[in-house]
Amino acid sequence: MEPNATLTALRDFCAERLGADLADRFVRLARPGFALSEAGPGEAAGHSRFGGRAMLEPGTEWPACDGFPLSLLAVLDTDALAPWLDGVLPAGTGLLNFFSLDSDSEMADPSAMELSIKYGCLDPRLGAVIAARSAHAVETAPPARSSVFEPVPWAAAPGFAFPDSFDPAWNDLDLGPDVDYMARAMPAMHLEGLLTEWSQRPGALDSEDIAFGRPQFPTGSSPMLPNHEDPNLYHHLLQLSGQGEWYIGGDGGWMHWSIPTEALRAGDFSRAIPTPDIW
């Protein structure tokens, strides 16, 4: 099903449970995204994958913090994802390389932990997103001290993501005049009680690894941004859950990258930052 048809079916699903007016306001919170999972033969979404080598244009400088190289964690092939992301990012964005300081995996260089302690996991210098035009990008060997994770090609199932229960995006949802104080204080929980069979909705995203859409915060946190910036001014790029053989993000082990929405529309990925989940 294509995006507009899926969104219409999703709105109809919500209208049966919330009424047409509230459903329309609620569905406006939905953002297109992808559930990422290990790809079987022929299922990979272009070059999208966890780990492996970076896909950079020749001459691109490898990102570093205080001279210490960051590690490539993931590649998203937006050309393969483009039909579902119409209007979200500029056409021809190509490949997005996601870097982070690896201070926790078994491969981590001891010096990385010193930087992590020095700056804290919310410092923008500890992560980077670099775009590369698909026609020019080549696999790029990492510098010394940068961790290289075993590549896992990704399949990408499209859908629509709603805000996590702790997301400030709920503050902008008008529930209508007839709800009580408790519903207004906890809109996500109020709607959860009304949206029966929610897991069966059209366009459901069921994955701990998500591209675009909206982030999840299973540790009960919320979007963590430098200088207490408004999370509603940012757009989610990638969520990675912690795994046994590697560990990223905050205390909860969940890593996110986000970007100011106006920078995303302009294709300025130099402003993308790590936004990890914190206990």
Side-chain angles (χ1 to χ4, degrees):
M1 189 180 293
E2 56 91 25
N4 289 335
T6 302
L7 195 60
T8 297
L10 176 60
R11 187 178 291 107
D12 291 343
F13 175 94
C14 294
E16 292 176 3
R17 294 154 177 82
L18 304 177
D21 290 341
L22 179 54
D24 186 61
R25 295 193 294 273
F26 173 60
V27 171
R28 288 175 194 166
L29 294 177
R31 288 180 175 176
F34 299 85
L36 302 173
S37 60
E38 184 173 354
E43 294 179 343
H47 295 285
S48 299
R49 54 175 161 76
F50 171 79
R53 292 188 172 189
M55 298 286 292
L56 301 174
E57 296 186 28
T60 300
E61 184 176 353
W62 192 278
C65 176
D66 286 2
F68 187 92
L70 303 183
S71 297
L72 186 282
L73 288 184
V75 176
L76 286 181
D77 188 339
T78 69
D79 291 339
L81 308 179
W84 200 264
L85 294 175
D86 183 36
V88 174
L89 72 171
T93 296
L95 305 170
L96 296 180
N97 295 267
F98 291 82
F99 296 88
S100 183
L101 178 73
D102 174 29
S103 60
D104 294 291
S105 80
E106 294 181 355
M107 295 178 286
D109 187 289
S111 299
M113 180 56 70
E114 297 176 11
L115 283 175
S116 179
I117 295 172
K118 176 181 178 180
Y119 290 112
C121 60
L122 292 179
D123 195 291
R125 285 170 287 194
L126 301 190
V129 178
I130 298 180
R133 294 168 295 176
S134 298
H136 300 269
V138 294
E139 285 199 358
T140 304
R145 302 195 294 171
S146 176
S147 302
V148 180
F149 298 95
E150 189 69 23
V152 179
W154 273 328
F160 287 91
F162 285 86
D164 179 85
S165 299
F166 304 96
D167 197 311
W170 290 110
N171 297 336
D172 295 333
L173 179 63
D174 178 10
L175 294 175
D178 300 325
V179 299
D180 59 22
Y181 169 79
M182 290 301 295
R184 297 186 190 283
M186 297 181 290
M189 293 184 64
H190 171 70
L191 292 175
E192 182 179 344
L194 300 175
L195 290 166
T196 58
E197 302 174 321
W198 182 238
S199 63
Q200 301 177 31
R201 69 192 183 279
L205 291 180
D206 183 18
S207 178
E208 293 183 344
D209 299 323
I210 296 175
F212 297 96
R214 289 184 179 272
Q216 298 175 358
F217 296 94
T219 62
S221 181
S222 63
M224 305 292 288
L225 296 170
N227 303 317
H228 304 289
E229 292 182 79
D230 183 359
N232 291 315
L233 300 179
Y234 277 71
H235 200 99
H236 182 246
L237 293 175
L238 179 65
Q239 169 180 305
L240 294 179
S241 60
Q243 303 292 328
E245 67 274 16
W246 53 273
Y247 187 88
I248 54 177
D251 294 336
W254 291 60
M255 187 64 200
H256 307 279
W257 286 265
S258 300
I259 186 172
T261 301
E262 49 93 9
L264 175 63
R265 291 171 178 165
D268 181 9
F269 291 95
S270 68
R271 296 177 60 190
I273 58 173
T275 50
D277 194 6
I278 307 295
W279 288 109

